[in-house]
Amino acid sequence: MIETDVESHCVKDLAAKDFMSGVHPIWCPGCGDYGVLAALEQALVLRGRPPHEVALISGIGCSSRLPAYMACYGFHGVHGRALPFAAGLKLARPDVEVIALGGDGDGYSIGGNHFIHACRRNVDMLYVVMDNRVYGMTKGQPSPTTEPDWDSEIAPGGVGLRPFNPLSLAISAGANFVARGFAGRPKDLAELLVDGMRWPGFAFVEVLSPCVTFRPEQFDWKKQVRDGKGGPDTDRADATAAVLTDDGFSLGVMFRGERIAEPARPSSRADMVEIERQFAVGAAS
Ligand SMILES: Cc1ncc(C[n+]2csc(CCOP(=O)(O)OP(=O)(O)O)c2C)c(N)n1
Ligand code: SF4
């Protein structure tokens, strides 16, 4: 029997297996996304929300397959469109734990504009990007976080473009919680994820998640990552400066904001009836 703690509304005695769908992942052996899956299952155990109170929303890509592997509600949607869908769900159902996730191609290329505005809107949800600095699913095209000199068949000599920094972008656009984790440290990552879920507002966790097939050199990330210095910064300018001067391998919470999160008020049944009326096929406007 599932037992609920009345004060915290958290379910006790959940286990990682409660969040497993039983569908076997088709990721390549060694893909970093396995570590993210394990960390997310553990984070939801710590969070104490049972699977039927959690919705995982993704776009398209290897990483975006993740909702199929978990027993929560899931939406495997349209490339780059996880965030607007997730925000709409959270506004309509504030009681649900909403988690958007996907890859760097999904979130920073085609979904880049949604990313900026999700930070700005500050809807209370968690966004996890499994960043492997490449489009894995479509066989290795460079993404906005790919190093300028990464040489590949599709971009000989490298794209020669400065990668953007997702953390500084998120902090300056208004995200309320910004952190970096590593797929190869799932226990630490689980703690970052649950911290992001608990913090009010839009929480963004960038996860270094190696693509061992198209970027085998990313095996070395386990030697390059390190714990970040000290506690998180609460000043946006200082936090932005810190992440811009970092080499991208420091882990931990980089920023915590105090902005008021959306939805500022719970939506009522009457709101939902009105929305359904407006969107009914054939409804007079
Ligand atoms: C509108 C649209 N454009 C392009 C594609 C092709 N496409 C599918 S996944 C993908 C990129 C995936 O890369 P990323 O989000 O980094 O995820 P990964 O596979 O590396 O986990 C692209 C371009 C698509 N499915 N839909
Ligand atoms: S192609 Fe890369 S990102 Fe996709 S499953 Fe394989 S290792 Fe993972």
Side-chain angles (χ1 to χ4, degrees), residues 3 22 44 80-81 110 129 132 141 153-155 158 163 168 171 222 232 234 239 252 271 279:
E3 204 188 325
L44 286 166
R81 303 292 181 257
I110 191 167
V129 174
N132 51 21
Q141 298 88 350
E153 244 174 70
I154 201 162
S168 71
I171 296 167
K222 60 177 174 300
T234 50
D271 294 336
F279 280 85

Side-chain angles (χ1 to χ4, degrees), residues 27 31 33 59-65 78-81 102-108 110 130-139 141 143 209 211:
W27 293 318
C31 175
D33 298 348
I60 300 290
C62 299
S63 40
S64 290
R65 289 181 185 276
V78 182
H79 194 33
R81 303 292 181 257
D104 42 301
D106 188 82
Y108 307 150
I110 191 167
M130 287 158 260
D131 191 349
N132 51 21
R133 303 182 183 173
V134 75
Y135 294 5
M137 177 172 267
T138 45
K139 302 204 181 303
Q141 298 88 350
S143 86
S209 183
C211 174

